[in-house]
Amino acid sequence: MFYMEDAEIALMFSLLAIPVAIWLQLWVRTRRQNRRNQLGEEEFETTGRAFFSIIVEGTAIIGGLIMIIVASGGVIKYVINFYT
């Protein structure tokens, strides 16, 4: 069974996930910009910090993209079910 209240809750979570995903992308962008030197190259203090940044920022980018895809799918599913 498909209840309208469940669809509306799923739509709300989908709409809330989109700004979070965009914020994650902007957060990664500002972190990268803050590490740039005068020549435009990224500088890291240590190899460990570079490795940590790669892991954290890569996870944030991939997670944000997954959130955007899932949230968009939730919105599209709601629109299709609402108008059919």
Side-chain angles (χ1 to χ4, degrees):
M1 289 186 147
F2 182 74
Y3 295 105
M4 196 56 157
E5 291 178 5
D6 294 338
E8 291 171 350
I9 291 171
L11 176 67
M12 282 181 27
F13 280 116
S14 295
L15 291 175
L16 288 174
I18 292 171
V20 172
I22 292 171
W23 175 81
L24 275 173
Q25 303 300 316
L26 292 174
W27 176 74
V28 169
R29 180 178 173 214
T30 56
R31 276 183 57 100
R32 287 184 176 172
Q33 287 176 346
N34 290 339
R35 280 197 308 266
R36 295 201 186 276
N37 62 12
Q38 292 176 350
L39 299 175
E41 301 168 342
E42 288 187 46
E43 289 186 347
F44 295 97
E45 298 165 2
T46 63
T47 305
R49 186 171 288 244
F51 183 70
F52 179 75
S53 292
I54 290 168
I55 297 297
V56 170
E57 291 172 4
T59 304
I61 289 172
I62 292 170
L65 292 175
I66 290 171
M67 289 172 65
I68 289 172
I69 292 168
V70 171
S72 299
V75 171
I76 291 169
K77 183 177 178 182
Y78 178 80
V79 170
I80 289 172
N81 287 333
F82 185 74
Y83 288 110
T84 57

